[in-house]
Amino acid sequence: METDFESVPVPGLRRHGGIPRDSPREIRPLFVRITGNPMSRLTLDEWLSRLEKNRRFMENVSALKRIPAREARYVDYPGWVHPRLRSVLEARGMRRLWSHQGQAVDLVRQGKDIVLVTPTASGKTLCYNLPVLQRILEEPETRALYMFPTKALAQDQMHEVHGLITDLREDIRTFTYDGDTPDDARQAIRRQGHVVVTNPDMLHAGILPHHTKWQKLFMNLRFVVIDELHVYRGIFGSHLANVIRRLVRICRFYGADPVFIFCSATVANPREHAEAVLERPVTLLDESGAPAAAKTFILYNPPIVNRELGIRQSALTPARNLAGSLVEERIQTIVFTTSRLNVEVLTRYLKDRFKKGKPLPDTFVTGYRGGYLPNLRRQIEAGLRSGEVMGVVSTNALELGIDIGDLEACIMSGYPGSVASTWQQAGRAGRRAGWSLAVLIARSAPMDQFIAENPDYFFSRSPEHCRINPDNLLILLHHLKSAAFELPFERGEHFGRENIEELLDYLTEKGVLHQAGERWHWSAESYPADEVSLRSINPENVVVVDASEQGNPRIIAEVDWDGAFTALHEGAIYMVESQPYQVDRLDLPGKKAYVRKVDVDYFTDAMTYTNVRVIDRFVEKREGSAIVEHGEVQVVRKVVGYKKIKFYTSENLGFGDVHLPERDMHTTGYWFTIPRDLLEALPYSREEIIDGLTGLAYGLHHLAAMLLMADLHDIDRCIGDKSGEWFVRHTGGGRVITSSPPGADAVEPAREDAFDPTVFLFDAYPGGIGFSDLLYAEHRRLLGSAQALLSSCPCLHGCPSCVGPTLEVGNRAKEVALTVVNRLLEMA
Amino acid sequence: MSVRNRLQRLTGETPAPPRPEKPEISELRRRIEEIMGRRREPQPVRKDRFPPLGEVVSGEEIETPHGTFFVVREDVSGGACHGHRRVADLSGLDMARAAILGNVRDMAALDIGDLLFLDTETTGLAGGTGTVAFLIGLGWFEGSRFVLRQIFLRDYAEERAALAHLADLAASRKALVTFNGKAFDLNLLAARFVMNRLPNPLEGFPHLDLLHPSRRLVGRRLENCRLGTLEAALLGLLREDDLPGSEIPERYFRWLRTRDGRLLGDIFRHNRLDILSLAALAAHLSELVLPEPPPAADPRDLVSAARLLIDRGELAGAEEILCRLAGTGTGLPSREARMELSILCKRARRRVEATSLWREMLRDDPGDAFAAEELAKDLEHNEKDAPAALAVVECWLACGSGAEGETAAFLHRRARLRRRTGLPTP
């Protein structure tokens, strides 16, 4: 996790004359506090004009864009729409359809698969509800399946279609079918539900493996709706594509051929993505006819507080000040931030602010993130709709279309990592009417800074690509097993692009399938759907148990397996709704973490060590003097310790040790090895070279993410040696090359000539997604961008915008990195 | 590189990695192994090494237009014993009582020969479309003989033919008897019919699932309601060297790989006993709900039977059982019988009988809260004799044997009665 290093004060700084002009406390826009009198509260408009007059604030604004409201474009209802359906819609105020709705319902009626890409609040749901209800009115046995990525969204949408049906006064039944559906309701839903609303996990584990119970549904299935398609990328998307393969296969068994309706947020390649999921052509509809509210969009870059080190004020600071000021005026605001830790920290700051003064309900300002239990999240969502919750701090969990009403302002503390996410988040403010505000506050990371300094680039930029790899062998294997469980495979059948006969034989050898004649049957006691979670390759979650009260343990949160290593190690401070708990014990095999309420003034941040070893080389090439390769790697990760960071001042209060096992995974990666003689010819010490390479890898990682238009977390980096026997360790005394395993106490300086310095960039998911493939092909371009980035960065010795914080990479990292890159490129 | 090689790389199965491997087992490989199931050694398929199935298990291959399958046939003579009963006696099952037992009204008008006893052995308990019933065990009565048929899938390809044969056999029957069939066997078979694109002949059959009546009648006095437990406690049957049900799927999988018929004998034997026990259990439980239950019947079961009959609206039958139990002494069943009987009488407005039962109960046990309360209520509201009611309450309280909640209720009643009778309340 990247913390906001920019706020770590360097001890002794004042003595060196690098005294910041303003201490962090003073670089706050001057907001006059108005004490709670409703008559004197500002509207958003007034608040904005006051902000624009604030010189100190405006100094650091790199762009202020006013996006005008957009007018609607209408078409008439098609002639085939049932008069009663039409009058119900007209009674709800929809006297005509927006242009994209008209197109969509016509195409669906013709049986064409479509993908709809229009902003939130553009009436997407009508595009599928209308043809579905129409068909049910014509043929009462018609069935439809709606899929949403989360239960909450499913519930939301169910109410909407239910409302229409109630108005229609027809006997049309819609139900949600998910893990919470009580057993006695399930049978009724299977037989009678016209519209079954579910999520991919339920389809995967609950419906498809029991498809004989759903005979009625599958025989009459005419429509499949998949909402929030953009969410299904990376691992999740690869799983979903396989679930769809299985769904289509089962439909074929029952003689059904439903039309697919996808809805997606704005991404660069929605049609390509939909076609990758469905594996057949899909028509794209991406011109919205819906009206849009006017929006003020501000790009804010916090000022530099330490020029020498290139440190900027933490993005959390203006975030909390802006949010606090807005909430004080009772302007409903959402703050997005980039990590769960930051959600807790920021929520804590805001709650503290409102503690002084007139007592307010605890829910006035809340946090929101995935680890919160479902009840709590439903409460918060309802509170947002009702206005009881005036301010919410969230991770991108609230990006999705859950109805949270009309918020007026959205503050983004840190670039969300993708242009698509940025517009999704900004779209949370002012959905339906009036004026709205979105503020993007840059952090020190290269991407943030790039955008802050090049706002036109951001505004003209197309959003990211959604990539999936449904033929990732591990994923494919899981779903092949599930598919065989559902229906025996016949010779000559296709499932994905791989030679499945070989895979089926492999599974037979392993004893889970049995071949009888031309068929492969499932032949094991287990239930394959239980063995895989769609959202990760590792399905286990760790449960957080509050053991503060003797004899009364309570579960307060859940964390995914990988996250548990960094958030729940012993000694970690874990926060829920900004209440800190300390982890007393982490029981990994039992998947439980035991915590205790504490009252401390710091939070913790784990330090992870990554090491990579080459398993197999697929291809290699020479670029100049470097050898560039692409292949399979083994990645070992280990949490080696943690920092204790004080609230508000962000001082480092100390370190702690962590004793946790390594996690390893196999994935695909791309790497290049720099010839030793090139490095030896440089006038730098071994340590400085390592620093430079570390800095170069940092820059390349960020640039690669931008190039791929992928999430920063979709790929990862490492400096090492191909054999995986040498690696870099950060010790108290600096960077050292050692041959000791990570975490060992003794460190032996290695014989330097045995070390082949290699920079690795690899897919962050087991089995690989296909990113490193692309990077291998673009190696030259990547190096060229790095050269440009390093030579044009205005910092002196290095900064988080180019090579990383100098506290981590040292003072010469930038210089060395640039030299190395220049050499690599000039010798090409 | 072939797909299999790539897969082996990913799961860490390559024999010689490029560099010396670290000793720690890869977490991924461990998980893959877990995921892949418990079997690690692939068994070679050597069909010729083992004798054909027909020589090991006494059955034969049947060929039909749908394909082939294997079946074991047996006629069990009326004189044979299963537990402490003769098969011929089982054929005397009272259909009316069986219908009441399972609340399957349509069964009352049928003959014993119309019943199809059914029990399957499957490849797992997970349910879902990947579970197969590889052995379908059936039984029915022809006169005093019990006919057994065990339809066996030697391989998955034989399923269609096997199910078609099941349909044939079911065509001449009219009702089903199973143990836990409602929750398991029938759902599974329904799925299998759909998977094989055949209509389900068992749908709509009246169905007596013996698990539920077992629970009601004997569940509270036995450790559990597993068939084996019921056999030992009720039927006098102790299985020797029986194959545990949990091992059955694995045996079948091994059979598929090796074709060693010796693996299957135990499964057929196990299934055979299951079906015979269905018949015996049906008989035993039905007898408990007869107006004249067998003399050896456990009184606790009889109380449960009476309760069941009351639920089913068979009040006369229940009363007969209860009367007989009520007079048999002072044990718990006898007391319970009197309690149930008194409630029966009270509901039928037969007050004299009800009150005399309560007085009897109090004579036997002055601390009987139920009897005391009912008697007091009757005296107060029907007899309009508040002092007499109060006397009963005082008597009970003097006993001092009540639980806290009960005592509080009685104290409350006493206070109220005192007020009514004009006595000072303490």
Side-chain angles (χ1 to χ4, degrees):
Chain A
M1 193 213 96
E2 315 242 312
T3 46
D4 292 329
F5 287 105
E6 45 273 49
S7 300
V8 176
V10 179
L13 186 59
R14 289 173 197 269
R15 273 178 265 139
H16 288 260
I19 300 171
R21 190 168 55 87
D22 298 294
S23 72
R25 191 177 41 80
E26 285 165 29
I27 304 182
R28 227 191 343 225
L30 298 170
F31 291 123
V32 177
R33 291 242 178 107
I34 298 176
T35 53
N37 178 353
M39 297 299 284
S40 58
R41 292 222 182 105
L42 301 177
T43 63
L44 181 56
D45 239 22
E46 293 163 348
W47 188 92
L48 269 173
S49 19
R50 197 183 63 176
L51 184 67
E52 291 180 43
K53 296 196 193 94
N54 184 323
R55 240 182 339 111
R56 259 218 195 117
F57 180 80
M58 295 305 292
E59 247 166 32
N60 295 304
V61 167
S62 67
L64 187 149
K65 205 163 167 89
R66 284 187 231 279
I67 302 166
R70 191 180 57 210
E71 282 210 1
R73 276 177 298 141
Y74 295 102
V75 295
D76 286 320
Y77 280 92
W80 47 260
V81 177
H82 198 289
R84 209 144 22 98
L85 183 52
R86 179 167 166 167
S87 55
V88 162
L89 295 171
E90 284 172 349
R92 283 167 169 237
M94 290 174 264
R95 245 163 290 124
R96 303 175 72 196
L97 294 175
W98 288 322
S99 52
H100 63 282
Q101 291 175 319
Q103 279 180 292
V105 303
D106 266 329
L107 284 167
V108 170
R109 179 90 173 157
Q110 293 166 38
K112 297 238 182 344
D113 305 312
I114 62 167
V115 55
L116 256 172
V117 184
T118 51
T120 38
S122 61
K124 266 189 278 204
T125 50
L126 191 62
C127 297
Y128 49 81
N129 281 335
L130 201 164
V132 167
L133 290 173
Q134 173 69 28
R135 191 68 183 267
I136 296 175
L137 287 173
E138 292 167 350
E139 290 168 32
E141 288 308 311
T142 303
R143 299 282 190 266
L145 193 64
Y146 288 9
M147 267 210 286
F148 300 93
T150 65
K151 279 190 236 173
L153 255 180
Q155 294 283 356
D156 220 43
Q157 297 301 326
M158 221 265 304
H159 286 131
E160 172 146 353
V161 79
H162 196 72
L164 278 175
I165 292 168
T166 313
D167 290 352
L168 261 181
R169 276 188 268 241
E170 284 283 334
D171 183 23
I172 299 176
R173 278 155 257 138
T174 64
F175 300 104
T176 49
Y177 192 87
D178 56 40
D180 295 338
T181 307
D183 281 334
D184 44 4
R186 291 186 184 206
Q187 208 188 56
I189 297 173
R190 286 197 284 258
R191 294 228 182 95
Q192 302 164 21
H194 286 100
V195 179
V196 175
V197 179
T198 186
N199 56 64
D201 311 78
M202 196 62 182
L203 182 64
H204 153 76
I207 297 180
L208 291 174
H210 295 273
H211 61 84
T212 51
K213 295 190 183 163
W214 293 87
Q215 208 183 350
K216 212 99 204 271
L217 175 92
F218 284 112
M219 278 172 56
N220 298 293
L221 191 62
R222 301 260 180 273
F223 305 94
V224 177
V225 173
I226 299 178
D227 199 1
E228 310 283 357
L229 180 68
H230 58 284
V231 155
Y232 302 113
R233 51 183 212 281
I235 281 289
F236 198 15
S238 308
H239 276 296
L240 180 83
N242 277 286
V243 174
I244 301 295
R245 282 172 178 165
R246 285 158 52 197
L247 172 63
V248 168
R249 193 168 177 253
I250 301 293
C251 285
R252 226 181 304 129
F253 178 76
Y254 290 100
D257 184 16
V259 83
F260 278 78
I261 303 155
F262 296 100
C263 297
S264 174
T266 311
V267 294
N269 61 336
R271 190 206 341 251
E272 186 187 59
H273 186 207
E275 290 182 348
V277 168
L278 192 52
E279 299 183 307
R280 58 190 205 220
V282 177
T283 310
L284 172 67
L285 292 173
D286 60 355
E287 292 186 14
S288 171
K295 188 181 245 89
T296 302
F297 199 113
I298 297 179
L299 280 181
Y300 181 81
N301 202 358
I304 295 184
V305 298
N306 182 314
R307 201 152 287 284
E308 209 174 86
L309 299 176
I311 293 178
R312 285 189 184 267
Q313 181 190 56
S314 163
L316 290 181
T317 308
R320 78 173 190 246
N321 292 326
L322 287 168
S325 167
L326 283 162
V327 169
E328 211 169 72
E329 306 300 337
R330 303 301 187 268
I331 296 170
Q332 212 181 20
T333 303
I334 179 166
V335 184
F336 283 103
T337 178
T338 50
S339 73
R340 301 172 204 175
L341 182 54
N342 280 343
V343 167
E344 295 299 340
V345 172
L346 201 44
T347 308
R348 162 76 176 257
Y349 290 159
L350 285 172
K351 278 193 198 270
D352 283 352
R353 174 172 174 153
F354 289 102
K355 260 192 212 144
K356 318 159 193 164
K358 187 171 140 198
L360 291 159
D362 196 39
T363 52
F364 189 65
V365 174
T366 67
Y368 186 104
R369 57 181 177 78
Y372 288 179
L373 297 175
N375 269 349
L376 180 56
R377 285 185 283 156
R378 295 301 91 76
Q379 262 176 47
I380 297 172
E381 289 154 22
L384 281 166
R385 285 194 293 269
S386 69
E388 199 182 303
V389 174
M390 203 34 76
V392 61
V393 183
S394 175
T395 57
N396 56 13
L398 269 182
E399 222 174 78
L400 295 177
I402 299 179
D403 186 1
I404 53 174
D406 311 338
L407 293 155
E408 288 184 78
C410 166
I411 313 280
M412 292 170 272
S413 171
Y415 177 59
S418 73
V419 170
S421 287
T422 308
W423 288 108
Q424 281 279 88
Q425 292 181 3
R428 278 309 201 173
R431 292 169 82 182
R432 283 171 196 141
W435 204 264
S436 64
L437 168 68
V439 181
L440 173 58
I441 303 172
R443 293 156 76 216
S444 296
M447 270 202 257
D448 291 45
Q449 285 305 306
F450 187 82
I451 285 169
E453 297 308 315
N454 301 281
D456 288 331
Y457 181 78
F458 169 73
F459 284 109
S460 67
R461 188 173 174 73
S462 75
E464 289 68 20
H465 280 49
C466 288
R467 283 193 207 289
I468 59 173
N469 182 12
D471 292 325
N472 170 319
L473 273 182
L474 286 182
I475 295 179
L476 182 62
L477 206 61
H478 276 305
H479 289 280
L480 210 60
K481 286 161 70 185
S482 293
F485 182 93
E486 285 150 15
L487 263 181
F489 270 95
E490 272 185 48
R491 194 183 294 280
E493 247 195 273
H494 289 287
F495 193 87
R497 284 177 293 243
E498 292 288 349
N499 176 359
I500 57 165
E501 251 186 63
E502 251 201 271
L503 288 170
L504 293 171
D505 286 338
Y506 173 82
L507 288 174
T508 306
E509 232 174 76
K510 287 286 161 179
V512 288
L513 293 184
H514 173 81
Q515 189 180 358
E518 301 291 286
R519 290 220 171 118
W520 284 263
H521 297 252
W522 180 256
S523 195
E525 262 185 277
S526 52
Y527 188 70
D530 277 345
E531 293 159 4
V532 60
S533 151
L534 299 189
R535 290 163 203 268
S536 64
I537 301 240
N538 192 324
E540 301 117 359
N541 268 357
V542 173
V543 153
V544 184
V545 180
D546 175 9
S548 309
E549 262 181 65
Q550 273 282 22
N552 185 19
R554 281 174 29 221
I555 296 182
I556 57 172
E558 256 185 57
V559 178
D560 62 285
W561 179 257
D562 280 324
F565 281 74
T566 47
L568 294 175
H569 57 82
E570 270 159 43
I573 300 290
Y574 186 79
M575 291 185 274
V576 176
E577 267 281 272
S578 69
Q579 163 65 50
Y581 297 84
Q582 185 165 51
V583 178
D584 284 331
R585 184 163 74 90
L586 175 61
D587 173 11
L588 277 177
K591 310 215 185 57
K592 292 199 185 75
Y594 296 95
V595 305
R596 200 181 11 104
K597 259 192 206 153
V598 289
D599 185 13
V600 295
D601 62 350
Y602 67 89
F603 57 95
T604 57
D605 191 17
M607 306 186 299
T608 311
Y609 177 86
T610 306
N611 182 42
V612 172
R613 166 164 93 91
V614 173
I615 298 284
D616 189 19
R617 197 170 284 106
F618 298 155
V619 274
E620 68 176 69
K621 63 186 177 188
R622 246 189 193 266
E623 283 283 354
S625 50
I627 305 171
V628 185
E629 296 166 283
H630 173 240
E632 198 165 316
V633 294
Q634 178 192 34
V635 178
V636 173
R637 284 205 182 93
K638 192 168 167 62
V639 179
V640 293
Y642 62 96
K643 295 185 265 222
K644 298 186 195 166
I645 302 175
K646 192 156 171 185
F647 279 113
Y648 290 107
T649 65
S650 300
E651 274 173 71
N652 190 324
L653 294 177
F655 296 89
D657 271 329
V658 171
H659 300 285
L660 280 175
E662 296 173 349
R663 287 166 290 154
D664 82 48
M665 70 160 177
H666 288 227
T667 184
T668 52
Y670 123 85
W671 59 92
F672 59 94
T673 310
I674 304 162
R676 244 175 279 137
D677 26 344
L678 184 155
L679 294 172
E680 270 157 27
L682 297 176
Y684 303 114
S685 74
R686 198 75 194 171
E687 204 180 271
E688 287 168 337
I689 290 191
I690 296 301
D691 279 355
L693 291 179
T694 308
L696 178 59
Y698 176 97
L700 286 173
H701 182 178
H702 288 257
L703 288 168
M706 268 169 110
L707 183 75
L708 293 171
M709 292 194 250
D711 222 72
L712 194 64
H713 303 292
D714 286 341
I715 48 179
D716 204 350
R717 67 180 189 268
C718 179
I719 308 281
D721 177 66
K722 288 188 277 194
S723 68
E725 279 164 22
W726 307 101
F727 37 82
V728 175
R729 264 191 80 200
H730 296 260
T731 63
R735 270 67 55 195
V736 179
I737 314 158
T738 78
S739 64
S740 319
D745 292 315
V747 169
E748 9 160 329
R751 283 186 310 116
E752 294 168 353
D753 49 358
F755 181 57
D756 253 335
T758 305
V759 175
F760 292 89
L761 283 174
F762 52 91
D763 289 26
Y765 305 106
I769 279 292
F771 288 134
S772 47
D773 231 319
L774 299 165
L775 292 176
Y776 173 79
E778 299 282 356
H779 170 76
R780 269 200 77 80
R781 195 167 145 201
L782 202 54
L783 279 190
S785 311
Q787 187 182 48
L789 174 70
L790 290 168
S791 46
S792 64
C793 191
C795 69
L796 288 171
H797 302 296
C799 72
S801 308
C802 59
V803 290
T806 49
L807 287 176
E808 292 231 322
V809 294
N811 277 338
R812 304 199 83 179
K814 182 181 179 184
E815 185 187 329
V816 176
L818 188 52
T819 313
V820 170
V821 163
N822 286 335
R823 289 287 150 80
L824 285 173
L825 283 174
E826 80 194 17
M827 289 163 110
Chain B
M1 195 191 318
S2 79
V3 156
R4 176 190 305 238
N5 286 345
R6 280 163 54 202
L7 196 52
Q8 285 173 336
R9 297 278 190 203
L10 268 180
T11 57
E13 283 166 44
T14 44
R19 303 282 176 135
E21 225 171 70
K22 299 225 165 118
E24 319 100 49
I25 295 184
S26 148
E27 168 75 359
L28 182 68
R29 183 185 344 171
R30 185 190 61 75
R31 284 199 335 257
I32 295 270
E33 292 289 10
E34 262 175 34
I35 283 165
M36 294 310 193
R38 283 147 238 144
R39 288 229 58 79
R40 277 161 210 259
E41 333 88 56
Q43 302 284 351
V45 179
R46 305 264 288 271
K47 301 185 190 178
D48 44 274
R49 265 183 71 191
F50 299 110
L53 182 57
E55 286 178 25
V56 179
V57 177
S58 58
E60 57 198 337
E61 171 180 299
I62 306 281
E63 216 176 290
T64 72
H66 293 282
T68 58
F69 57 92
F70 188 85
V71 75
V72 170
R73 284 195 250 240
E74 185 188 340
D75 282 351
V76 185
S77 78
C81 273
H82 183 75
H84 47 220
R85 290 190 195 245
R86 288 169 61 239
V87 167
D89 297 335
L90 298 179
S91 69
L93 177 69
D94 183 330
M95 294 303 290
R97 291 287 137 186
I100 291 171
L101 182 70
N103 206 12
V104 190
R105 215 165 297 158
D106 294 340
M107 219 177 240
L110 298 175
D111 276 334
I112 180 76
D114 293 327
L115 293 180
L116 184 64
F117 295 85
L118 182 144
D119 185 67
T120 60
E121 305 304 336
T122 69
T123 56
L125 295 174
T129 49
T131 309
V132 171
F134 65 83
L135 179 61
I136 304 169
L138 301 165
W140 63 86
F141 283 97
E142 282 179 12
S144 63
R145 261 175 37 241
F146 190 71
V147 175
L148 275 170
R149 290 283 180 276
Q150 292 174 297
I151 307 174
F152 176 64
L153 279 57
R154 290 172 301 180
D155 204 321
Y156 298 116
E158 297 198 322
E159 190 179 33
R160 192 150 211 271
L163 289 174
H165 188 61
L166 168 60
D168 280 342
L169 293 175
S172 38
R173 308 261 119 52
K174 303 209 180 100
L176 289 169
V177 180
T178 68
F179 192 81
N180 196 24
K182 282 197 173 148
F184 186 65
D185 303 69
L186 255 68
N187 285 335
L188 180 56
L189 286 172
R192 299 322 306 169
F193 280 108
V194 174
M195 295 294 285
N196 284 278
R197 303 198 197 273
L198 291 168
N200 183 357
L202 303 175
E203 207 171 324
F205 264 45
H207 181 177
L208 171 57
D209 181 338
L210 292 171
L211 176 61
H212 307 290
S214 299
R215 282 202 184 125
R216 287 202 67 165
L217 295 187
V218 304
R220 62 177 189 148
R221 70 169 176 93
L222 291 181
E223 192 186 315
N224 59 55
C225 273
R226 290 217 279 267
L227 190 56
T229 313
L230 295 169
E231 284 174 343
L234 307 177
L235 307 179
L237 182 72
L238 265 176
R239 300 199 191 191
E240 275 177 28
D241 298 327
D242 187 42
L243 181 66
S246 54
E247 286 181 32
I248 291 180
E250 199 46 52
R251 285 270 180 117
Y252 185 67
F253 299 139
R254 265 170 54 207
W255 149 261
L256 288 177
R257 279 190 285 271
T258 64
R259 297 288 165 178
D260 182 357
R262 294 171 297 179
L263 291 163
L264 298 174
D266 288 335
I267 302 183
F268 281 94
R269 272 190 288 279
H270 174 96
N271 180 257
R272 176 184 177 278
L273 288 175
D274 280 348
I275 300 172
L276 284 166
S277 286
L278 280 179
L281 192 58
H284 182 98
L285 294 175
S286 307
E287 283 170 8
L288 287 175
V289 296
L290 285 169
E292 266 203 49
D298 187 310
R300 292 170 291 178
D301 297 346
L302 290 173
V303 175
S304 303
R307 288 188 174 131
L308 182 129
L309 284 172
I310 293 174
D311 268 355
R312 304 264 191 262
E314 300 280 326
L315 299 180
E319 198 175 323
E320 262 196 70
I321 297 179
L322 290 171
C323 277
R324 213 167 281 127
L325 280 174
T328 57
T330 55
L332 183 57
S334 160
R335 188 232 163 218
E336 284 183 340
R338 274 188 229 158
M339 183 171 89
E340 294 292 339
L341 196 53
S342 72
I343 295 173
L344 245 180
C345 292
K346 177 174 157 184
R347 288 203 186 126
R349 300 193 196 287
R350 287 148 58 184
R351 281 190 48 237
V352 174
E353 295 167 74
T355 47
S356 79
L357 278 166
W358 291 324
R359 286 186 204 282
E360 246 181 71
M361 288 166 81
L362 282 171
R363 264 200 304 277
D364 285 341
D365 175 16
D368 190 327
F370 165 79
E373 184 177 0
E374 289 296 321
L375 186 58
K377 284 199 297 202
D378 182 81
L379 286 170
E380 184 184 346
H381 302 293
N382 296 333
E383 212 64 50
K384 313 281 188 208
D385 187 353
L390 183 55
V392 170
V393 172
E394 297 278 18
C395 195
W396 187 87
L397 283 168
C399 238
S401 59
E404 206 178 295
E406 291 173 336
T407 310
F410 271 80
L411 286 172
H412 188 81
R413 190 176 290 276
R414 175 171 73 174
R416 205 169 45 80
L417 284 169
R418 283 196 173 192
R419 278 198 298 275
R420 279 194 66 177
T421 56
L423 285 176
T425 44

